[in-house]
Amino acid sequence: MSSTSSINPIADRLEQIWSTLPSSVRLIAVTKQVPVELMRAAYEAGVRDFGESRIQEAMTKQTQLADLPDITWHFIGHLQTNKVARALDLFQWIHSVDSLKLAQQLNQRAQERQQSPKVCLQVKLLPDPQKYGWTEAELLEALPELDRCSHLQIVGLMTIPPYGLSQDETLAVFRNTRRLAEQIQAQSWSHLRMHHLSMGMSDDYQLAVQAGATMVRLGRTLFGERR
Ligand SMILES: *Cc1c(COP(=O)(O)O)cnc(C)c1O
């Protein structure tokens, strides 16, 4: 895309990845611990979606990248309820809404600020003590309350499979997540929509795409190993 791509360290990598992604799949460049110089290189190579998992780090970087006007910022980490207002200052998307309490706080703050952030509900369909997220049963029970969060645009599900699964098991997690989204979408909610599936990271995004991901969140495969 850019005339500087030949000296751009990640343009080739990006081209390669984009060429394998269906055009309907949005690539979120996950830039936690990635220096802003590399983020600029990604921007110059065409990236407009950046994902961060810490509020403080995102705040620092957004200040440093304030001259790049058309970035969409995605929050992908666990959000504490006392940082909800900050998150709404910084992010247009929140992929990781993992409790009713968090959804309701976001909804209330969004209403006060006349915002309507896009939100995904983070689910874990297999037990995983390392991860936040709704089990299927918890999510189904919370849906009526979530549907009343009319200042959130709840647009889909997000998931991270447990570490150490086989490819088949990982694919099954992604497929079951899609099925759950389809099941919810088939019910008649006023606000809830299930158009998006945020799933797939560097090691498993091809499987996620195979299962119907609409957003993949890629860090290491773009920027190299984190420190
Ligand atoms: C770090 C992170 C990613 C990116 O992981 P990679 O393995 O570097 O691609 C994606 N999603 C979430 C929620 C993350 O925390």
Side-chain angles (χ1 to χ4, degrees):
M1 273 187 88
S2 154
S3 58
T4 61
S5 64
S6 57
I7 53 161
N8 183 321
I10 47 187
D12 291 345
R13 194 73 200 104
L14 260 171
E15 278 311 314
Q16 208 180 328
I17 293 167
W18 263 323
S19 72
T20 68
L21 291 179
S23 58
S24 56
V25 176
R26 192 160 166 180
L27 186 160
I28 317 293
V30 174
T31 48
K32 59 188 184 207
Q33 298 173 42
V34 171
V36 286
E37 300 73 45
L38 275 184
M39 294 176 69
R40 272 186 196 280
Y43 181 92
E44 279 165 20
V47 171
R48 293 296 180 270
D49 292 284
F50 289 93
E52 288 281 343
S53 54
R54 287 178 191 277
I55 297 288
Q56 184 59 49
E57 183 176 348
M59 202 154 58
T60 308
K61 286 172 170 174
Q62 289 192 16
T63 305
Q64 291 172 306
L65 298 173
D67 57 309
L68 307 180
D70 52 352
I71 294 177
T72 299
W73 293 93
H74 301 253
F75 189 75
I76 61 171
H78 174 61
L79 183 58
Q80 294 166 277
T81 48
N82 64 356
K83 295 194 177 148
V84 156
R86 236 330 116 64
L88 290 173
D89 285 338
L90 299 171
F91 294 93
Q92 292 79 54
W93 278 79
I94 298 174
H95 290 230
S96 43
V97 173
D98 53 22
S99 72
L100 187 57
K101 185 175 166 211
L102 176 59
Q104 289 172 332
Q105 299 248 347
L106 277 166
N107 185 58
Q108 190 187 332
R109 290 290 189 160
Q111 175 172 23
E112 288 163 12
R113 296 151 158 257
Q114 302 187 320
Q115 288 175 285
S116 55
K118 290 206 167 73
V119 156
C120 294
L121 305 171
Q122 182 173 354
V123 296
K124 51 173 183 182
L125 298 188
L126 294 178
D128 186 349
Q130 321 264 23
K131 303 249 161 51
Y132 292 93
W134 270 288
T135 65
E136 178 167 350
E138 288 166 348
L139 181 62
L140 294 176
E141 194 190 329
L143 289 176
E145 289 293 332
L146 288 166
D147 195 42
R148 281 193 272 277
C149 293
S150 57
H151 298 274
L152 304 180
Q153 301 181 61
I154 299 178
V155 293
L157 301 182
M158 183 272 227
T159 202
I160 309 171
Y163 186 74
L165 297 186
S166 70
Q167 295 221 337
D168 284 353
E169 291 165 331
T170 302
L171 185 58
V173 168
F174 290 145
R175 288 199 165 131
N176 288 336
T177 304
R178 189 185 74 197
R179 272 190 216 112
L180 178 57
E182 286 169 351
Q183 178 191 335
I184 296 169
Q185 178 66 22
Q187 300 166 344
S188 49
W189 302 106
S190 349
H191 293 287
L192 280 172
R193 296 290 177 270
M194 286 287 136
H195 299 152
H196 286 279
L197 289 169
S198 170
M199 53 190 201
M201 306 170 33
S202 291
D203 293 332
D204 58 16
Y205 71 93
Q206 288 101 337
L207 297 171
V209 168
Q210 203 180 320
T214 65
M215 292 183 282
V216 292
R217 309 177 310 269
L218 303 183
R220 291 169 302 127
T221 192
L222 280 175
F223 300 107
E225 293 296 324
R226 287 180 286 276
R227 272 168 283 143

